[in-house]
Each structure stands twice: as C-alpha cells, then as structure tokens.
Amino acid sequence: EVQLVESGGGSVQPGGSLRLSCAASGFTFRTDWMHWVRQAPGKGLVWVSRINGDGSATYYADSVKGRLTISRDNAKNTLFLQMDSLRAEDTAVYFCVRGRGTHGDWEWRGQGTLVIVSS
Amino acid sequence: QTVVTQEPSFSVSPGGTVTLTCGLTFDSVSASYYPSWYQQPPGQAPRTLIYSTDTRSSGVPDRFSGSILGNKAALTITGAQADDESDYYCALYMGSGIWVFGGGTKLTVL
C-alpha cells in the first residue's frame, strides 16, 4: 500500500525557516515525480513545486521561487521541502503528492503538515 | 490574478447531473493542458478523479467523466450522490514544468 507521511510543520516567525519531509513507501520512489501542494486555511489548493525521479529537474510556482527548495533522498525514500524567508502567506497545510507517470494522475495519501508563519 | 477559472459553487439534486467547468483567462483549454480534476470532501485530503482530460483514475466510478466543452475542460457527474458533496479542483499544465490549480468549485447535493 502506498503511504506518504508528511512531517516537519510547525509555527515559525516571518523570515524564518522550516524543512518539511515526506516519507514514502509502497512504490518505487526513485522512478516517480513528486510534488508539493499547499492549502491555506479555508482556501483552495495551490501547486508549489515538483521534482523528477533522480532529482535533476525541479520546478516552482512563481510565488515560492527562490525561497522554497524541493529535494529528495532516494536512498531513504524521502521528499523534502526546505522553506526559507517564510512569509505569512506561506501559512498552509502542505501535501506531498506522488505523480503516477501520466500528467495529472496524482496520488494523494497523506493528511499534510501544517505550517503557520506568524509573529 | 486568476488564471484558471472555476465556478465558485454549484448545486445538484440527488440523482441529477451536473457539469463543472475549468477555463483559462488568456486561452482556450485543450488537451495539451492535460486538464485534471480532484475531489476534496470536507475535512479530507484530495483524490484524483480525472487526468489528461478524460481518463478516470484508478477506482473512480464511471459516474465521473471528463471532457472538453467548447473552450473549457469539463467534469460531469451523473447520478449525483450525497457523498459527492465536496470541493472540486481542476489543474492545468502550463508547460515549463508548471501546474496551476483553479480556485475550486464547492458542490452541494440537495
């Protein structure tokens, strides 16, 4: 069974940093694209970033470019999101999502991890 | 600025049919945007319903179908059930590795 377990969320002051992790199991992690999608409280889904299987290609939404960095450790089946220079508008639940090969066929298994940016 | 547009809300009667749409402010939606649809029941994580315009994800009942209608992507739900009451999001691939979600449609079944 596919499992995606997000962790690392918490409260941080504006300008601070956090590192989110997503532990993956139940599939061949190293072959799949992985995404981060976020959802501010009471708001809609926002695509944040994605990374290919070997980590050589990364893409970001304009709103996070230069501040958030996606990476992965295929030896540990773990996806990361390094979050720097955090802003209040980064407050959201962050979901780790598996891309199942075809554009848009995404697997959502985790409940997300909540990041709160507030002074 | 809103790029991907969806109806903010919609209602359907139990057993009825409803079509939700997904548009672009600057272009017509076509298959090259790989329109995809996601369902998020209240308090739950999303799940994929439709990807690449009209392909149902694994385990999704055939009451859900995707298409292109005119210049928009469309999600049609037939035989609506109470547990279809959810937020529905479309996402479009903008090229250069970037995806964008629409603002979502809150579907009420009553």
Side-chain angles (χ1 to χ4, degrees), chain B residues 7-97:
Chain B
E7 299 88 357
S9 62
F10 232 115
S11 64
V12 61
S13 300
T17 296
V18 63
T19 296
L20 311 182
T21 68
C22 176
L24 279 169
T25 55
F26 60 89
D27 195 8
S28 296
V29 177
S30 65
S32 63
Y33 283 97
Y34 298 94
S36 302
W37 293 90
Y38 306 92
Q39 178 194 48
Q40 187 177 32
Q44 298 184 34
R47 70 159 175 159
T48 300
L49 293 176
I50 302 287
Y51 62 93
S52 297
T53 305
D54 57 6
T55 303
R56 270 185 296 278
S57 192
S58 176
V60 174
D62 59 8
R63 303 188 296 104
F64 296 90
S65 62
S67 63
I68 300 290
L69 287 181
N71 62 349
K72 295 183 178 181
L75 171 71
T76 299
I77 307 171
T78 58
Q81 301 177 358
D83 60 5
D84 294 337
E85 192 160 287
S86 299
D87 293 326
Y88 291 85
Y89 296 92
C90 72
L92 301 177
Y93 180 65
M94 297 301 183
S96 301

Side-chain angles (χ1 to χ4, degrees), chain A:
Chain A
E1 179 191 4
V2 171
Q3 292 192 27
L4 299 168
V5 180
E6 303 95 339
S7 62
S11 293
V12 62
Q13 293 188 337
S17 297
L18 275 178
R19 190 192 198 201
L20 306 185
S21 299
C22 171
S25 61
F27 63 102
T28 307
F29 181 73
R30 67 180 182 275
T31 65
D32 286 349
W33 285 86
M34 296 296 295
H35 303 252
W36 287 100
V37 175
R38 70 185 183 185
Q39 186 169 35
K43 302 296 185 182
L45 300 174
V46 175
W47 179 84
V48 172
S49 182
R50 70 173 181 148
I51 186 170
N52 70 344
D54 66 8
S56 61
T58 58
Y59 303 94
Y60 299 91
D62 284 345
S63 59
V64 306
K65 202 173 296 183
R67 301 186 300 114
L68 275 57
T69 304
I70 192 171
S71 63
R72 63 194 298 159
D73 183 340
N74 286 345
K76 296 183 178 179
N77 285 357
T78 303
L79 177 72
F80 300 103
L81 186 67
Q82 177 65 41
M83 310 176 72
D84 298 317
S85 302
L86 283 164
R87 306 168 179 169
E89 54 265 36
D90 295 318
T91 294
V93 172
Y94 286 75
F95 294 99
C96 161
V97 184
R98 173 195 177 200
R100 286 186 292 208
T102 305
H103 275 324
D105 186 17
W106 297 350
E107 190 158 19
W108 310 70
R109 290 284 180 166
Q111 292 302 308
T113 187
L114 176 61
V115 172
I116 298 173
V117 183
S118 174
S119 55

